[in-house]
Amino acid sequence: MSTTKISSNPLERIALSCSGGGYRAASYHLGAMAYLNRLHYQGKPLLENVKMISTVSGGTITGIVYALGKAHKEEFETIYQFLVGQLKHLDLVKAGISQLNPDAVWANPAKRKNLINAFASQYDTHLTRGATLADLDLGSTHLEAAVFNTTEFTNAGDFRFRNKAAGYCGNFYLKVDAATAAEAKLGDVMAASSCFPGGFEPILWPHDFVHDQAPRLKELAEKNAPTGLMDGGIYDNQGISSILNYRKKDPTPYFDLIIVSDVASPYMDPYQPAPEAAKTGFYKWTLKDLVAKSASVSNRVSYVLLGIVLLGLLIPAFTQFKPSFVNGLSVGFAAAALILWIGKLLAVKRLRSALNWVIDRLTGKIPGFYRNKLSHLHVEDLSLHRMEPLLLDRLTSLVNLLMNVFLKVVRRLNYNILYHNPAFDYRRIGNLIKQLTEQDFLNSRTRLKQDGGPDPNVARHSVLNGTYEEVIGPALKKVTEEAAGFGTTLWFTDQDVVSDMLDKLLITGQATMCYNLVEYLEQLIYTTNNGFAALPEAQQQAIQQTYEQAKADWATFKATPGFMLQMNLKRE
């Protein structure tokens, strides 16, 4: 049992991190923020106690739109309606790819014409409306800091863009002063944060950030070599490190509560090797067989073409080459066949030359020691049914390593920093997209039992005790299971729109945040000897009132999952 006491000001200073995950993340985090805006503490929305947001990739879409809206003094409902409309109707992939067509307008010649810059242009047009980091003046808002995380490829570190009051941009190795960073367009920042490997090439800092109104960035680009920026999730897909580094010199944690909103799955499918194909038909061919058959086909084509040439010349010869339609046609066919034969010879020669060049380039990259070892493998004698698993197993394991293993290792490391440090007891909430699914619910209950179970006083008062059907219920189960299974994309398909996937992600974000706040508030109020009883009575009452509202909302979510959409957040 933890001996850490609760903060003397629970719920006063909140940090919110929003993970990556494409439109799934953007929608889920927006739903989570919508519930924070609904739940009140001491007479105002709990969202207004969020002092810092730290976002990654898809979470940065929501984070930038929200922070920019607050800087423009917009109400939450206005920001919500705008972003929902864009998420529902903007197919970023279609719009971005279309912009790469030769006849498409490329407004900024300073940018390389590639996919990530095409996306940056779409973000700039549709989501940030030309705004720069200078427009992110949060002085009159509830936010102290807004941090948008990317990963830089020169020093392998987190490269942070943030509002001026939060400090310099970049990192320890590449510090960017506030005046220079202020010129960066928020659309470019959004693109850098969501530039996931495989789907995009890196966006170059500062060269791809230069525009007509950015003299400092232009000068910086002229004096420095570029560095590649990509998805912040490569370094920290939850944005936790930026929060932990904020005011880290303070003797006690600066934030009373850190909420980690995360759509990444903690689970992985087991590795499956490629099945070995049957050694029949084409699969039994070796490289030597393929070369032999190709040579045989090439020779046959040559024989046919030379036969046509010979026949085309023999026919006129029998008539002493007298001018006639038949003789002219024969000579024409002979000439055409001769041209094709010469063309084939040249093409085969060029193909062999190109193939040798590729082989030389590839083998030239292999160190001599390994090249000598590999020479003992007679590749030309391997059949395709043997070669296929050799290649596919390496490819699939590499993709799995990059897209799953590495990300989950990084995720675990950052979570461990937050969850294994007793200083953050009663100061953290994990708001995870799979929490309300049956699998995750049962797993969490198993882990809780293994850890000794909840505080008996909390268990006695909790409204979250019971079976999965009792606690979550069938209505929420249907919505959250579908939302948790949605893939990482930057668009909603027509079928997704028909099935209201956006609504399901929003509802899941709202309901999961409500569930976690109910659980957190029960721990604050009912855990034995945690310091709650020492709080001023007015503060205890305010926390109790917030808890009562969250309990009532949870009951409503179980009965009518979409009630928030129906009541106060109407859309077209």
Side-chain angles (χ1 to χ4, degrees):
M1 191 67 65
S2 173
T3 58
T4 305
K5 301 297 183 182
I6 66 174
S7 167
S8 58
N9 296 292
L11 306 179
E12 286 289 330
R13 286 195 299 262
I14 300 174
L16 173 65
S17 72
C18 298
S19 77
Y23 270 18
R24 175 181 60 181
S27 307
Y28 178 80
H29 301 322
L30 184 60
M33 293 172 74
Y35 187 72
L36 288 174
N37 187 66
R38 173 181 172 80
L39 188 64
H40 278 62
Y41 174 67
Q42 294 183 330
K44 65 179 182 180
L46 193 58
L47 184 60
E48 294 186 13
N49 282 1
V50 172
K51 303 303 179 185
M52 178 180 183
I53 56 173
S54 174
T55 67
V56 179
S57 196
T60 296
I61 295 175
T62 300
I64 286 181
V65 170
Y66 178 75
L68 185 60
K70 297 309 293 182
H72 291 164
K73 297 180 172 56
E74 295 176 351
E75 296 294 329
F76 177 79
E77 286 75 13
T78 302
I79 301 170
Y80 179 96
Q81 297 286 0
F82 168 74
L83 184 52
V84 164
Q86 295 302 317
L87 291 172
K88 188 170 187 179
H89 300 295
L90 178 60
D91 185 337
L92 284 168
V93 174
K94 178 180 178 181
I97 290 176
S98 298
Q99 202 169 355
L100 295 179
N101 289 322
D103 58 345
V105 176
W106 194 258
N108 185 355
K111 281 179 169 291
R112 295 170 305 145
K113 193 169 186 178
N114 56 21
L115 189 59
I116 189 58
N117 282 322
F119 268 62
S121 176
Q122 296 301 318
Y123 290 139
D124 183 59
T125 300
H126 298 287
L127 293 170
T128 61
R129 295 164 285 187
T132 66
L133 210 55
D135 295 306
L136 216 61
D137 183 0
L138 303 176
S140 61
T141 74
H142 62 86
L143 290 171
E144 295 177 12
V147 182
F148 314 114
N149 299 278
T150 73
T151 304
E152 56 95 353
F153 279 24
T154 300
N155 303 287
D158 191 2
F159 190 98
R160 301 178 177 97
F161 292 93
R162 43 191 165 193
N163 60 304
K164 181 178 179 181
Y168 66 86
C169 292
N171 57 29
F172 176 79
Y173 304 99
L174 295 169
K175 290 186 178 181
V176 184
D177 64 89
T180 302
E183 294 179 348
K185 285 198 168 188
L186 289 174
D188 292 336
V189 174
M190 194 178 287
S193 183
S194 57
C195 179
F196 59 86
F200 298 98
E201 57 281 293
I203 188 170
L204 299 184
W205 171 265
H207 298 64
D208 284 336
F209 289 74
V210 174
H211 55 91
D212 290 342
Q213 305 300 316
R216 289 175 176 270
L217 285 174
K218 183 178 180 182
E219 182 180 2
L220 187 66
E222 290 171 349
K223 294 181 178 179
N224 294 276
T227 186
L229 300 182
M230 292 199 80
D231 195 326
I234 301 170
Y235 183 85
D236 173 9
N237 195 45
Q238 287 67 46
I240 295 173
S241 62
S242 291
I243 291 175
L244 297 179
N245 284 325
Y246 186 73
R247 302 284 295 265
K248 65 179 180 180
K249 293 183 179 179
D250 290 5
T252 58
Y254 178 72
F255 294 108
D256 302 304
L257 176 61
I258 297 173
I259 302 175
V260 182
S261 191
D262 187 3
V263 303
S265 172
Y267 310 114
M268 278 180 57
D269 293 330
Y271 169 74
Q272 295 291 339
E276 187 174 294
K279 191 177 180 180
T280 58
F282 178 72
Y283 278 95
K284 66 183 180 181
W285 287 13
T286 65
L287 184 59
K288 188 184 295 183
D289 293 333
L290 186 60
V291 170
K293 289 181 183 296
S294 298
S296 176
V297 170
S298 178
N299 290 336
R300 289 177 186 176
V301 171
S302 293
Y303 296 150
V304 170
L305 291 175
L306 290 175
I308 293 173
V309 171
L310 182 62
L311 182 63
L313 295 177
L314 284 175
I315 291 175
F318 282 118
T319 62
Q320 288 81 41
F321 295 97
K322 292 179 179 180
S324 69
F325 174 77
V326 173
N327 285 346
L329 189 64
S330 298
V331 171
F333 271 114
L338 183 62
I339 292 171
L340 288 174
W341 179 69
I342 295 172
K344 183 190 79 70
L345 291 179
L346 294 175
V348 169
K349 183 178 180 181
R350 292 291 298 272
L351 182 61
R352 286 175 178 169
S353 177
L355 183 61
N356 289 333
W357 181 84
V358 170
I359 292 173
D360 289 341
R361 288 296 295 261
L362 292 177
T363 56
K365 300 291 185 181
I366 303 174
F369 173 80
Y370 297 104
R371 191 160 60 247
N372 292 335
K373 295 297 182 184
L374 286 173
S375 67
H376 295 283
L377 177 64
H378 300 161
V379 176
E380 68 277 6
D381 292 327
L382 293 178
S383 62
L384 185 59
H385 94 288
R386 294 292 186 196
M387 292 181 65
E388 185 181 48
L390 287 176
L391 298 174
L392 287 181
D393 284 349
R394 277 152 184 78
L395 180 61
T396 55
S397 62
L398 180 62
V399 171
N400 202 23
L401 186 69
L402 293 174
M403 304 307 294
N404 289 307
V405 177
F406 282 168
L407 288 180
K408 284 177 172 52
V409 168
V410 172
R411 180 183 192 267
R412 193 178 301 119
L413 289 173
N414 284 291
Y415 267 95
N416 286 346
I417 294 172
L418 184 62
Y419 278 84
H420 289 181
N421 187 341
F424 293 104
D425 289 350
Y426 306 110
R427 292 175 183 260
R428 61 197 172 212
I429 290 177
N431 188 60
L432 316 181
I433 194 171
K434 287 185 173 288
Q435 274 183 287
L436 303 187
T437 64
E438 186 168 10
Q439 178 189 13
D440 208 79
F441 179 88
L442 296 176
N443 287 346
S444 66
R445 293 300 169 93
T446 300
R447 288 194 298 270
L448 187 60
K449 288 181 181 178
Q450 292 172 346
D451 293 338
D455 184 291
N457 200 40
V458 175
R460 185 164 58 252
H461 290 90
S462 178
V463 297
L464 302 178
N465 283 333
T467 65
Y468 179 76
E469 289 71 21
E470 294 169 337
V471 177
I472 308 299
L476 260 181
K477 175 182 178 179
K478 177 176 174 57
V479 173
T480 57
E481 295 274 1
E482 290 187 35
F486 184 66
T488 302
T489 67
L490 289 172
W491 68 92
F492 287 112
T493 65
D494 292 340
Q495 184 58 45
D496 294 330
V497 173
V498 169
S499 64
D500 294 323
M501 182 54 69
L502 175 57
D503 282 355
K504 290 169 184 173
L505 286 163
L506 291 168
I507 292 168
T508 302
Q510 295 162 1
T512 308
M513 182 62 79
C514 178
Y515 176 92
N516 283 305
L517 283 166
V518 169
E519 184 176 58
Y520 172 72
L521 290 168
E522 287 177 346
Q523 292 173 0
L524 284 186
I525 296 169
Y526 298 119
T527 302
T528 307
N529 299 322
N530 68 348
F532 180 77
L535 296 178
E537 185 176 349
Q539 204 168 9
Q540 292 184 42
Q541 290 177 353
I543 294 172
Q544 187 71 46
Q545 289 170 358
T546 300
Y547 173 56
E548 295 300 326
Q549 182 193 342
K551 273 200 309 183
D553 285 343
W554 177 245
T556 308
F557 273 122
K558 288 172 59 179
T560 313
F563 81 95
M564 280 184 64
L565 302 182
Q566 299 166 9
M567 286 178 56
N568 62 347
L569 291 172
K570 298 178 182 177
R571 306 201 309 275
E572 294 181 359

